[in-house]
Amino acid sequence: MSSAVAGTSARRVVISITALFVLAPILLITYQSFLTAPFFDPKAQLSLWAYEFVFNEPDFWRALGTTAMLAVGMTAISVPLGALLAFLMTRTDMPGRGGFEPLLLVPIFLSPIVLAFGYVVTIGPVGFITVWWKQYFGNPFWDIYSFTSLVVIAGLTHAPHVYLYASAALRSLPGDLEEAARVTGAKPGRVAMDVSLPMITPALLFSGVLILFLGFEVFGLPLILGDPQGLLVLSTYLYKLTNKLGVPSYQLMAVVVMVIIAVALPLVFVQRLLLRTAQRFIAVRGKGSRTNLVALRAWRWPAFLLIAGWFAGTVMLPMTGLVLRSFVSSWGLGINVLDVLTLDNYIELFDDSEVVSAIVNSVGIATIGGALSIGCYTMIALAQHRWPSAWVRFADYIVMLPRAMPGIVAGLAIFWVFLFTKPLAPLRTTLLAVWVAYTLVWLAYGLRLVQSALLQVAPELEEAARVTGAGLGRAMRDVTIPLIKHGMLAAWLLIMLIFVREYSTAVYLLGPGTEVIGSLVVSRWGSGAVDIVTCLSCINVALISLGLMVTLRLGVKLHG
Amino acid sequence: MADLAVDNLRIRLGGNEILKGVSLTLRRGEVAALLGPSGSGKTTLLRAVAGLEQPYTGTITVGGTTVFDGAAGINQPTEARGLGFVFQSYALWPHRTVAENVAYSLKIRGVAADVQRDTVQKSLDSLGLGKLGHRFPHELSGGQQQRVAIARALVYGPTVVLLDEPLSNLDAKLREEARAFLKELIERENLAALMVTHDQSEALAIANRILLLNGGVVEQAGTPQDMYNAPETLFVAEFMGSNNHIEGKIMGMSDGRASIRIGDFLLDGQARCAPEKVGQAGSAVIRLEGVHVAEGSNGGQNHVKLDLVTSMFLGHTWEHLFRGPGMTIRTHHDGPLSSGAHWLHLPADRVWIF
Ligand SMILES: Nc1ncnc2c1ncn2[C@@H]1O[C@H](COP(=O)(O)OP(=O)(O)O)[C@@H](O)[C@H]1O
Ligand SMILES: [Mg+2]
């Protein structure tokens, strides 16, 4: 009995630590929201004052309203666009499908803030395209800093999320359903509308809620594109609130965080519910026989141009602009690009010790930190593995909670936890705090990657080790872990990409020793250092591209 | 003393009671077959003995040690029970070679590397796998994989082995060879083997004792001869062998004999039902080989004249299908029969009336 108990208590310890790790920041935020001053202030008292203050702020309501409109607006663009991309890619004879396949998911791995910089330097008021346009056509018809631009850019860049789920659903559709419709006389367009679309409704519904949820979380795009016009969403409102009253107004920030969590949490659970339905739908259908592709005929090239245009607008345009801007010394009306080309920006970059350590830290936190995070996620997944117990159901809910905390919120919460817990205080200014925040924010995602690898392990393989005499821990070490090694490697690569991309989580933790590329560009953009920001962004994109190439090269699927 | 004893074991899974009080004992040199229809709880019982499922009451004793006792709160973990287990899927570890698969249990027990190597080689040799030690499981045929699974289960010398449908993944020809091989191995190694199967002919061939499981209880246990020749319930009678089933009305019962009426045919047989059933609907069961074609007969006790409907050539014999009012009878016979009606004899000592 002893070894079974030992195994069980190890599981309990892991789950308890996870719960502590997740709940401590949330409880601290909740506590802080009911105080009249920051928690470290001896004069702080329990009260509803902060709630009253925030709820009487017109700016808060405006930010909430803007957030809702942004979320709905971008959903309205992403879902139809993503579904169309998925249909064209999986179901038609559109030319160039094979080449687009890996490219379509790229925007998911690009940092939104980097994309936003890219848009600013190309189609912003003095962007390359804008300047060029002015020379030939006069004033441009667009305004990058308008709400409409924000919605359109957010919608275009989030379409791959929809594509991901819609294409998976379409691939699992048995082709004979569509062929049956063709036989009865329906044209391809009709088939898509009458058969394919209704069959993937659960997947679309899920991705709709996902985009809505991501819309509530966006930070980078509105920070860069909304700020000049004073356009605030909840996350940027929170960011601006830091010094509302002249002193750190933690209590007000805590209230805003509570509002964000209160909106996000139900969306997280709705997603969970919808995902189950969508997966059941897919599972029941099973793998369909390979079908004849829908012939687009005259529409082949227009369809190709649509996808190429989308990719050009969402990835190529901002990235090209960004790279170009990083190689020019200055830019404005009447300047010839060839006259101002230079490497100085990059050379100067490496004189800036903060920038250098940001790059080193980013790489370190992605590789070593990412490996450690996967180690933690694996421990949690193994603690839950094949253990029918109330503890596991509890852990299932616990790990969902951080999803309701956007990066900026989680970063703030971890910052507070390190400030609040005296023994941890010295670690606040180290990379460890950043790593903890990253690990927390991506807990649900990373755990799912490991869990899906564990699902592939047949239970008898582990049981066979048990009956031949191995204890629980030994069986996991000798059988389970070797069998999920490839899954763990894939998870590590994906987490690495995501940690390099991450920008909002480390914003509040930024300080000497804790700078990473993401948080540094946010702060440098605030001080107007465009040269450094574009160079750093390019380095960020280069690192991600490198990671993506390795990942694809190793045959890892970009979606867990 | 029994090497394996299970007493009154009860298990609930997903809210359903799967085993409802199962008991059995097993000694060295014995093969007990756990027989039953799919879903009757055979695998569950085997897994419970190995500690892979958690009963809520009952006791399990292995080699005199109580490994599970619901009332006393004893529950030894799987790895401490010292059993051999052969999984239905074989469950060979794909990331280890054949030799590493087999050696694993020795490695865990801290056996010296050279002793490990010798023991594994001896075990592989005895199973005809001598040269395959360096291969990976996916490089083996189904029959070889099965032998590796057996080697892995036996290499550390457990007295009790549990086998979950070990032959079901082999094709029909190979299965008969493996059956004989397995029986010989168990007798040679003097093991106590509990083997799950859903195939009654396999159970009859390999087992010293059969436990027929039905809906989570042991419907009947006994030697293969008992189970085949003296079924106590309709379920057992129908599960073993190939049968004719005739519905009728039970007319009378005395001295262990009963008679049943089908239309105006009165059939005598051995009573297997309670006296209260007289006057009520009942069933008669007779094995295919119990029915004789009574050529040249013109009636008599338990003789009935039925029309030949169709005939099938089975190789070593013929199977004929007869039909008459209220009954369909199949029987084996040495040769073909002319079409038309034939007299059939259903001897009273081969007929069971339930
Ligand atoms: N983990 C489980 N949860 C719920 N029911 C189960 C579980 N495992 C098996 N069962 C049920 O228990 C019954 C017996 O299963 P099993 O022992 O595998 O049958 P057999 O091996 O005789 O075919 C089946 O009805 C099966 O559906
Ligand atoms: Mg079974």
Side-chain angles (χ1 to χ4, degrees), chain A residues 1-4 459-472 474-475 477-480 482-483, chain B residues 47 50 52 73 75-79 83 85 87 89 91-96 104-105 107-109 152 156:
Chain A
M1 182 144 206
S2 60
S3 117
E460 307 94 85
L461 293 177
E462 298 162 319
E463 288 165 355
R466 298 298 300 279
V467 283
T468 52
L472 182 68
R474 182 95 200 228
R477 193 146 36 89
D478 290 342
V479 176
T480 317
L483 289 175
Chain B
R47 291 170 56 82
L52 296 169
N75 184 14
Q76 289 220 355
T78 299
E79 63 272 18
L83 301 163
F85 199 117
F87 289 83
S89 61
L92 299 178
W93 300 307
H95 60 297
R96 290 166 186 270
Y104 185 67
S105 58
K107 192 171 133 195
I108 281 185
R109 287 166 174 75
R152 185 179 68 181
Y156 55 96

Side-chain angles (χ1 to χ4, degrees), chain A residues 230-244:
Chain A
L231 206 62
L232 290 179
V233 295
L234 276 183
S235 58
T236 49
Y237 176 75
L238 172 70
Y239 185 58
K240 298 276 163 190
L241 204 57
T242 311
N243 282 307
K244 180 97 188 167

Side-chain angles (χ1 to χ4, degrees), chain B residues 128-150:
Chain B
L129 297 165
K131 292 195 176 66
L132 303 178
H134 62 280
R135 291 213 196 162
F136 281 94
H138 66 89
E139 298 168 324
L140 302 180
S141 72
Q144 289 167 335
Q145 289 181 3
Q146 185 229 26
R147 289 175 187 219
V148 176
I150 292 172

